[in-house]
Amino acid sequence: MMHQEFTGIIKLITNESIIGKVLVCEEENGFVIEHPFVVTETQLQTPGGDMVKLDLRPWAKFSKEELFFIDKEKTITVYESDDRLLKIYNRTLKKYLTYVEDPSKCPDTDINRLDLTEEMGFKSNVHDARNCLEKIYKAS
């Protein structure tokens, strides 16, 4: 049987969602996951409407292991990650691996931020926004 590898999410019977590099192991009736992170969602209410904040935390925080086997009986479902979550995972993994190898190289920036697109709303720089606000202020 051929093994399939992809970056995906395993939903466990404990209701945890784990993202990582998943290898389907038909012979062993389970999955091997590399560099797993728990995905947590927080609902936020903003003036623009409800939003969801995603956080990724290491699944096995104090383990030296990078690979874990998860029995198929312990899972609800397994699916491939969408591009937005994949981007957050790759950034988090890069930060985590850099931090593990050399904590002094860990950037202080928030790596879980997504780049804004026109579809998500307005984009501007500080200078343009300041000019716009000054015009509005002077007009009133």
Side-chain angles (χ1 to χ4, degrees):
M1 183 64 63
M2 187 175 166
H3 295 290
Q4 306 165 29
E5 185 178 307
F6 58 95
T7 302
I9 298 158
I10 300 176
K11 181 82 167 179
L12 300 175
I13 59 175
T14 60
N15 210 26
E16 289 177 298
S17 294
I18 303 170
I19 185 171
K21 306 258 190 246
V22 177
L23 178 67
V24 178
C25 298
E26 298 284 335
E27 297 87 21
E28 290 83 19
N29 200 30
F31 308 94
V32 173
I33 187 164
E34 181 180 17
H35 300 296
F37 286 85
V38 175
V39 180
T40 57
E41 297 178 28
T42 306
Q43 296 285 336
L44 301 174
Q45 292 185 354
T46 66
D50 291 345
M51 295 182 71
V52 176
K53 177 185 173 197
L54 295 178
D55 287 314
L56 300 183
R57 306 268 186 242
W59 184 49
K61 293 177 185 164
F62 303 108
S63 175
K64 292 182 180 180
E65 299 297 320
E66 296 177 355
L67 297 171
F68 297 89
F69 180 80
I70 299 176
D71 194 84
K72 208 177 245 185
E73 294 176 2
K74 304 292 182 189
T75 64
I76 296 173
T77 188
V78 178
Y79 53 96
E80 194 169 351
S81 173
D82 72 357
D83 291 338
R84 294 174 295 175
L85 186 56
L86 180 61
K87 189 173 182 179
I88 294 171
Y89 171 75
N90 287 331
R91 287 180 179 174
T92 303
L93 182 60
K94 183 178 178 182
K95 178 183 175 188
Y96 179 76
L97 292 178
T98 302
Y99 179 75
V100 168
E101 291 171 9
D102 185 1
S104 67
K105 291 183 179 178
C106 185
D108 292 329
T109 59
D110 184 6
I111 52 87
N112 289 330
R113 292 181 184 237
L114 287 175
D115 295 329
L116 293 178
T117 65
E118 294 293 333
E119 296 168 351
M120 292 178 177
F122 297 109
K123 294 195 310 186
S124 179
N125 59 39
V126 173
H127 179 70
D128 293 342
R130 181 178 290 138
N131 287 339
C132 181
L133 291 172
E134 284 177 359
K135 287 178 185 176
I136 293 170
Y137 177 76
K138 289 176 183 177
S140 63

